[in-house]
Amino acid sequence: MPIGNCNPSTFTISGISSGACMAIQFQYAWSSLVRGAAIVAGAPYLCAGGTIAGAEACLNTPYVEEPDVFFAAAEESAAMGLIDPLEGLANHTIFLFSGTADTVVPQPNMNNVVEMYAMAGASSRVHTFFNYSAEHAWVTSKYGNNCSFLGRPYVNNCDIDFGGRFLEAALKDFGMSWNATFGTMQESNLFSFDQTRFGASPQENSMATEGFVYIPKFCQDAATSSQCHLHVNMHGCRQDFLSIGTQYILQTQLNEWAETNHFIVVYPQATANDELVNPLGCFDWWGYASETYALKSGPQISIIRSMIQFFGGF
């Protein structure tokens, strides 16, 4: 695999469930780097308060959440230089999906996510998809279970290509062209890579030893790789490779658009760790790996940032 040389002005991120929470955390921490985020069934930045009990309360009682308190805490972290200035969020393309039938992350959680973006001045950049009768899953127009199904691989066909619509909107917002031809995914373009070189440790930070990256042939060529874009997508709980293989990775619909629009798509992998109270292989959005979990210095955020440097070159 070549080290990336992607366009640093078109970097985007996405995730589902715990991966959505991590995507939000990374977006807040590195708002000067991120240019767009696609969030499916996530929770507000810092709503867990650094504990598993806080995470459960966040998900189960979203009506009593206080987004203004979370935002004030984020502002304090930004003032201390622990995350980027929050004003950067207003420059992002933001897509949010929340199913009305989601029994895992009830929709009021995502309403609170919207409210926090508004506090950052990003209201005009937020696109919400909150009127689908969808269960808890990454949503597509091609792959997965029935839209109302809850279960593995937590990919549902809800007649919406959420990932594709986001990538299209993002590129157009960046002043880039969009190829509307739905590409053909080539499994030979999916590579595994050693996550430990970036600091991953199943024992210490619940990040798997192996991650995955989809690199179209166009982006494998050093002569053309500078024309490519980097996207990072994070799975939810129970969606990691050791739980379901590559089912999730191959069904996001991101890889097909990567072929025709020259994206490198990185799929970091978390993994289960009972000692860290992460039995379902979730990304860290409540502090199981470190109390700095939502900051630039957080173990998993730092690992993902190193992957971006390697595959994107920025």
Side-chain angles (χ1 to χ4, degrees):
M1 291 180 297
I3 295 178
N5 184 30
C6 296
N7 186 338
S9 299
T10 60
F11 171 62
T12 53
I13 196 164
S14 63
I16 159 74
S17 194
S18 71
C21 294
M22 176 54 71
I24 290 172
Q25 289 174 177
F26 193 95
Q27 180 190 18
Y28 272 73
W30 288 97
S31 64
S32 64
L33 182 74
V34 176
R35 291 295 308 279
I39 306 300
V40 178
Y45 183 67
L46 299 179
C47 78
T51 68
I52 184 63
E56 292 172 348
C58 174
L59 294 183
N60 297 325
T61 56
Y63 292 106
V64 299
E65 289 175 5
E66 298 181 289
D68 57 330
V69 174
F70 306 150
F71 194 79
E75 286 184 311
E76 183 177 347
S77 292
M80 296 172 64
L82 303 176
I83 64 174
D84 282 343
L86 300 182
E87 292 80 7
L89 295 169
N91 299 317
H92 297 180
T93 300
I94 302 168
F95 269 42
L96 307 176
F97 185 95
S98 177
T100 59
D102 193 324
T103 59
V104 179
V105 182
Q107 197 167 89
N109 284 285
M110 287 289 279
N111 292 333
N112 291 331
V113 170
V114 172
E115 188 173 340
M116 288 187 67
Y117 283 131
M119 293 175 191
S123 290
S124 64
R125 305 302 303 275
V126 174
H127 307 264
T128 57
F129 300 80
F130 287 6
N131 60 342
Y132 286 78
S133 183
E135 248 293 2
H136 189 70
W138 180 267
V139 290
T140 79
S141 61
K142 178 180 175 68
Y143 299 110
N145 300 302
N146 183 279
C147 194
S148 62
F149 182 79
L150 177 64
R152 295 184 178 187
Y154 298 96
V155 176
N156 286 357
N157 185 338
C158 295
D159 294 321
I160 176 174
D161 180 2
F162 182 71
R165 290 180 65 171
F166 165 70
L167 293 179
E168 177 182 6
L171 283 191
K172 289 180 177 179
D173 282 350
F174 306 154
M176 310 292 290
S177 61
W178 172 257
N179 185 342
T181 303
F182 189 64
T184 300
M185 177 174 54
Q186 305 290 337
E187 290 195 35
S188 61
N189 289 338
L190 180 67
F191 303 90
S192 63
F193 65 91
D194 179 8
Q195 291 194 149
T196 64
R197 68 182 297 169
F198 306 113
S201 168
Q203 295 77 31
E204 295 180 7
N205 49 50
S206 209
M207 289 291 283
T209 58
E210 184 179 30
F212 293 85
V213 59
Y214 190 88
I215 311 179
K217 290 289 194 296
F218 184 89
C219 300
Q220 294 178 38
D221 188 338
T224 53
S225 62
S226 63
Q227 301 174 47
C228 293
H229 318 286
L230 186 68
H231 182 80
V232 174
N233 175 271
M234 263 114 29
H235 62 77
C237 307
R238 299 189 177 99
Q239 286 182 309
D240 61 292
F241 175 72
L242 293 181
S243 296
I244 60 169
T246 57
Q247 287 184 79
Y248 173 77
I249 293 168
L250 296 177
Q251 294 183 25
T252 62
Q253 280 188 272
L254 295 170
N255 305 321
E256 287 87 346
W257 292 115
E259 287 288 345
T260 52
N261 288 277
H262 312 318
F263 278 88
I264 292 174
V265 185
V266 182
Y267 295 97
Q269 297 292 296
T271 191
N273 183 322
D274 290 338
E275 291 187 6
L276 291 179
V277 196
N278 182 32
L280 304 180
C282 307
F283 278 96
D284 187 11
W285 65 281
W286 65 85
Y288 66 68
S290 169
E291 63 182 12
T292 64
Y293 69 100
L295 307 177
K296 282 186 174 182
S297 59
Q300 294 188 0
I301 287 179
S302 296
I303 290 166
I304 294 165
R305 181 64 185 93
S306 296
M307 292 178 186
I308 294 165
Q309 177 65 48
F310 180 80
F311 291 110
F314 52 84

